[in-house]
Amino acid sequence: MGKKDMPKRSHLKKPTWIIILVSLVCVFLVVGYVYPPRDSTACYIFSSSSCKKISRWLPPPERELSDKEIASRVVTKNLLNTPPIKTKNPKIAFMFLSPGSLAFERLWDKFFQGHEGRFSIHIHASRVKPVHSSRYFQNREIRSDKVDWGKISMVDAEKRLLANALKDPDNQHFVLLSDSCVPLHNFDYIYNYLMYTNVSFIDSFEDPGPHGSGRYSDHMLPEVEKKFFRKGAQWFTMKRQHAIIVMADNLYYTKFRDYCRPGMDGRNCYADEHYLPTFFHMFDPTGIANWSVTHVDWSERKWHPKSYGLKDVSYQLIKNLSSITESVHETSDRKRVTTITPCMWNGMNRPCYLFARKFLPETLDTLIDLFPRYTTI
């Protein structure tokens, strides 16, 4: 029996050693995949082509953050995690960015009537002191400075408005408007729309074309990577928490001030279209709606949006604008990819727009006549 068993033991050893050898090779390859060789000696063992192939499948190593980045992220994270302070009389701050007098002040006067104590008004007049026709706008100008279209001075004016509006602790939501903006709904509708949701209406989308990521500059590295670069309309509304974060930021603001400007690297970058969309995409992407509640018609594909004159304004126009329930984004590359997204308000599909621009001053009287009708839509 002993002699007959000998060949069987010898026969069993061969596959065992083969299994062990194959296992070692597998472990060696797995280790090489999970921890790819970084130096030239190790790459020589694996072959340089293997190193390149493996590295392509792996995420890049995380870079070490600078002291300024760490400080900025700590402040932003803490502000986002801090519960908002509730007030007995929450208000909306309406912030008007204008070169001078507001052409639609009489229309806004009708809009605000009867709602005293639920709003505040702040005016940044960059060229001349406004002449007012409404008591609500009297003495509401803040210290203003020159604003150049497409330059960082536009963002500076926005921050100046936010800073002044934040001085009132009752201001819980902040709306940026231009001198050509008009309301599409009545005050109560807009107040409830903004106050009873937990997001800021900041437009932000990815545009790989020349008017989107094509404006990005590598000088923004390492803090702002191209994959985070976003575009959006400057006309925002934001909750108090986000307004404070904007005022606290200096690091990312500085990047856009220095490297997002007309003529930068032979390209025209406009900070007011990229700073806030990029900043909030990086730090609170779920806290913004990714569309603006101010309607603008870019269908003519010019440098400036369509203007509405006297012949354009009608009850039907206002009804159409105030009934839109989908936001549309189009890329600026040759593909012209259009993305249509339902406007979701607290999980419900609701009208997207509360305001609209650009309306010419000649439309004022017609809009005032229409106001009692269209604000009940």
Side-chain angles (χ1 to χ4, degrees), residues 104-151:
F104 295 98
E105 194 167 302
R106 284 169 49 215
L107 174 63
W108 285 105
D109 183 89
K110 286 188 171 294
F111 173 80
F112 290 124
Q113 279 179 19
H115 302 287
E116 292 80 359
R118 301 171 70 195
F119 66 89
S120 65
I121 293 173
H122 309 268
I123 307 166
H124 187 288
S126 58
R127 295 179 188 171
V128 296
K129 183 176 176 60
V131 176
H132 298 295
S133 57
S134 167
R135 61 189 176 94
Y136 299 122
F137 289 80
Q138 294 286 346
N139 303 316
R140 299 310 303 162
E141 298 90 354
I142 66 168
R143 189 192 69 77
S144 306
D145 207 343
K146 182 181 178 182
V147 174
D148 292 316
W149 179 79
K151 295 186 178 180

Side-chain angles (χ1 to χ4, degrees), residues 133-179:
S133 57
S134 167
R135 61 189 176 94
Y136 299 122
F137 289 80
Q138 294 286 346
N139 303 316
R140 299 310 303 162
E141 298 90 354
I142 66 168
R143 189 192 69 77
S144 306
D145 207 343
K146 182 181 178 182
V147 174
D148 292 316
W149 179 79
K151 295 186 178 180
I152 196 65
S153 56
M154 186 74 78
V155 177
D156 293 337
E158 295 171 6
K159 294 183 72 171
R160 205 172 286 125
L161 281 164
L162 283 173
N164 280 270
L166 279 166
K167 290 191 294 185
D168 184 345
D170 285 338
N171 285 335
Q172 296 297 304
H173 209 97
F174 304 78
V175 180
L176 181 68
L177 299 162
S178 77
D179 56 326

Side-chain angles (χ1 to χ4, degrees), residues 19-36:
I19 292 170
I20 293 172
L21 182 61
V22 170
S23 299
L24 287 172
V25 171
C26 289
V27 170
F28 186 67
L29 291 173
V30 168
V31 171
Y33 179 82
V34 176
Y35 303 100

Side-chain angles (χ1 to χ4, degrees), residues 3 25 47 53 104 130 161 217 225 250 270 279 305 322 338 342 345 361 365:
K3 290 182 179 179
V25 171
S47 85
K53 289 178 182 177
F104 295 98
L161 281 164
S217 170
E225 298 178 45
N250 183 63
Y270 307 112
F279 181 77
S322 62
T338 300
W345 183 89
D365 290 335

Side-chain angles (χ1 to χ4, degrees), residues 304-316:
H304 296 283
K306 173 184 171 63
S307 294
Y308 295 103
L310 187 59
K311 62 181 177 57
D312 301 308
V313 176
S314 66
Y315 173 79
Q316 192 60 47

Side-chain angles (χ1 to χ4, degrees), residues 242-257:
H242 282 162
I244 294 172
I245 289 172
V246 171
M247 297 311 303
D249 173 57
N250 183 63
L251 176 61
Y252 297 91
Y253 162 82
T254 302
K255 285 288 181 176
F256 282 85
R257 181 197 65 193

